[in-house]
Each structure stands twice: as structure tokens, then as C-alpha cells.
Amino acid sequence: MNATHATPSRHPAVSVIMPVLNEERHLRDSVRHILEQEYDGEMEVVIALGPSTDRTDEIAAELVREDPRVHTVPNPTGRTPAALNAAIEASRHPIVVRVDGHGMLSRNYIATAVRLLEETGAQNVGGIMNAEGETPWEEAVAAAMTSKIGVGNAAFHTGGQAGPAETVFLGVFRREALEQQGGYNIEFIRAQDWELNFRIREAGGLIWFSPELKVQYRPRPSVKALAKQYKDYGKWRHVVARYHSGSINARYLAPPTALCLFAAGAVVGAAVTPWGFVVPGAYLAAILAGSVPAGKGLSLKARAQIPVALATMHFSWGWGFLTSPRSLARKVIASRRPAVMKAPAETA
């Protein structure tokens, strides 16, 4: 990885890295939110292009022509961790900001993140995944994703107090931390942020969450796309649990437990006694009740779809967790990278 060892300054130069695949709908807006940042330091944007089947590459080429700060690198595998590593390798500044092709940075995001890095001494800072929809369905998903009944007490979804964290959404890194750990583990198709932050913490680094940092996130545009997303989340969360046994907690076990109880209750209700339907009925009643406060201020059409979004998220995540193959975990565990400790400074 190429590093720029510049003298620390109030406004250090920043490299924004973006892994993109089939992002024609949001890429231009996402890059615009980067280039319009209220930040006085030098900036570059490096887009790692996967094998898209839409107009993503064409839009990226237009962005390169329009602004000399924008560059692209190929990512033929289409995998997120490989894209991130390629973009890091092609970038050159001491602060590295990760942004997805459907993420919209708030105007002072980079300035705030750089300040927090300096104030806290952290190796990586991140904030809130502020889901916002553009259609009634997306608004319903956004409401589900930012409610505790949808995602539990995850701070980067629902907010919380600033402080040390296991992992953060996206992240703004000191390049030295990325270089020290050798970047992302390419075997982690999902949960690569958690794994990298785990190594940074093992090496004694600090990961810092702050609600001051907000990124607008565009939810998946259909039930099918949302189901796939959350199935992948569940599958890879089980991989993480097998990779690091101390990382599991009740929040992660809630979706597979709910799925099993719902299915068991439905089977008992259909085959043995109607009393079995009490459990599925209680679940449906809970998500209907939880949808009311979650949908405050939304249109009737959006509010009506929140229970569908919640059930899709819960059951897809649970199914992915339950069906996550041990072989995948074994492959990932075999690729385990030990945390790299910073070498002690030499004395004269």
C-alpha cells in the first residue's frame, strides 16, 4: 500500500474509497455528497469498480472526466473486501474514508471524523447508518432498520452515546492502522468491517463510535433484495460467531430463535392443537404494535409495509444464521490473520 508520510496538520489530506457494483441509481449522488464536503484539506475519491451489469461503469467514467479528484480501479472479483483493498492500494493520503455507492455523507462528515480521530486517538471512527427511503417500501424498510424492534440496540442503527465500540458503520481510518493490519481479509465477503476492527482492537487500537457522524443509507428496493441482504447478514454473523466465540450475544440469537418458535408454533397449531398458533400470533401482534411508533410521520402506504419489512429482516437473518455452513466458517478460520502489533520505536 502506498503511504504519504506528511507532517500532521489541522486538515490532513483524505482518500475516500468506494467499492461499487450495480450502483447506477445512487453512485452520482453519493460522489456528489463527497465532493461537496465542508472540508479544507486535500481530497481524492477512488472508486473500485466491480463487474456491474448496469450503467455504473459509464457513470464512473463521467465522474472521472468531470472532476480530477475522482479515480477508478478495477475489482474483477466483485467482492467488497477485494474492492476495498484495491482502492486503499491506489489511494495515497493519511486518512482513509470508506463510503458505499449508496451512502450519502452529511456535509461535515469528513471534518467531524478527522476531528474525532485527533481528539480520541482512535484508529477508526464511525457513526450512524441513517437509513432513508425514496419510495414507500424503502421508507418502510428505513423505519424498520432504525427501530429497536427491527435491529435491537445496535448503536449505529438507532444512535447512542459516543464511546469505544467493537465495530462501526463504514469507518474513517488512519492509514497506518490499515497498513499495519494488511487491509481487509478477502475471505470475509460480509462482516469484513467487524473482522478488521477486531484485529485493530487486538493490536491495542481504539474503535470509536460517535452519533455526530451520519451517513444517509438507501435501503434495498424490494422484498427479495432485502431478504437476500439479511440472509447474508445472518449467514456471516454465524461465521463471525464461529470465528470468535466471544462475539455472540442475545441480540444476534433473537432472529433465529424467533424463526424457530414461529415455525414450531405453526406446525403444532396445524397438526396438533390450535393453541400452537399462539406463538406465531404473539409475534405478529408484536411487530404490528412495534410498527406503530416506527412509522410515525410516514404515509399510510409506507406504514402498512413496515410489518412486512420487519418480518423479512427477522426471518431472513434467522434463516441465514441457521443455515450458515460450517465449511464456510472453517475456510474463513483457516484464513485467520493474527493482529499485527506496532513495532516499538527504536531508541538512539
Side-chain angles (χ1 to χ4, degrees), residues 13-298:
V14 169
S15 296
V16 181
I17 59 172
M18 301 183 69
V20 301
L21 180 69
N22 294 326
E23 291 285 3
E24 68 172 0
R25 184 179 172 192
H26 298 302
L27 180 58
R28 178 170 287 280
D29 276 349
S30 183
V31 172
R32 177 177 60 80
H33 278 76
I34 297 167
L35 297 177
E36 293 178 356
Q37 285 289 295
E38 296 174 349
Y39 185 68
D40 293 332
E42 184 180 351
M43 185 191 308
E44 66 175 351
V45 181
V46 182
I47 304 172
L49 295 171
S52 296
T53 56
D54 60 9
R55 295 183 58 253
T56 295
D57 287 10
E58 181 182 337
I59 294 169
E62 292 172 357
L63 292 167
V64 170
R65 289 194 297 269
E66 293 165 6
D67 196 304
R69 293 174 292 177
V70 181
H71 314 281
T72 61
V73 292
N75 173 37
T77 70
R79 294 182 171 184
T80 300
L84 291 166
N85 286 344
I88 293 167
E89 180 71 26
S91 66
R92 57 196 176 90
H93 294 319
I95 304 297
V96 178
V97 180
R98 176 183 171 177
V99 181
D100 288 339
H102 46 271
M104 313 293 164
L105 301 185
S106 53
R107 291 186 70 88
N108 64 345
Y109 180 89
I110 291 177
T112 302
V114 170
R115 172 176 60 79
L116 289 170
L117 284 172
E118 182 179 350
E119 290 177 353
T120 65
Q123 302 300 304
N124 181 21
V125 299
I128 294 176
M129 179 182 179
N130 189 28
E132 292 185 3
E134 297 178 319
T135 67
W137 165 252
E138 291 176 359
E139 289 175 346
V141 175
M145 292 179 69
T146 53
S147 69
K148 290 189 176 181
I149 193 172
V151 295
N153 61 348
F156 72 86
H157 280 296
T158 61
Q161 295 295 316
E166 286 191 355
T167 190
V168 290
F169 179 55
L170 300 179
V172 178
F173 298 84
R174 299 180 189 271
R175 176 179 291 276
E176 61 191 28
L178 295 173
E179 293 183 339
Q180 181 181 328
Q181 299 305 326
Y184 291 84
N185 184 334
I186 61 172
E187 296 298 335
F188 273 81
I189 309 305
R190 297 287 184 271
Q192 65 275 156
D193 298 296
W194 179 91
E195 193 277 336
L196 173 59
N197 286 318
F198 176 71
R199 282 185 281 132
I200 291 174
R201 288 187 292 107
E202 273 198 321
L206 174 65
I207 311 300
W208 188 265
F209 166 82
S210 173
E212 291 184 77
L213 298 172
K214 292 184 179 181
V215 180
Q216 290 181 11
Y217 171 86
R218 299 293 187 239
R220 295 298 192 269
S222 67
V223 174
K224 181 179 179 181
L226 182 67
K228 182 181 185 305
Q229 178 187 22
Y230 272 77
K231 180 185 175 184
D232 286 345
Y233 283 171
K235 178 173 74 173
W236 280 92
R237 198 63 189 76
H238 206 163
V239 170
V240 167
R242 288 164 170 158
Y243 182 93
H244 177 47
S245 59
S247 67
I248 202 68
N249 59 40
R251 178 166 67 88
Y252 297 123
L253 295 176
T257 301
L259 177 59
C260 290
L261 291 175
F262 188 98
V267 170
V268 170
V272 182
T273 171
W275 285 104
F277 289 119
V278 169
V279 174
Y283 171 79
L284 294 175
I287 63 171
L288 286 171
S291 297
V292 175
K296 186 177 181 180
L298 297 182

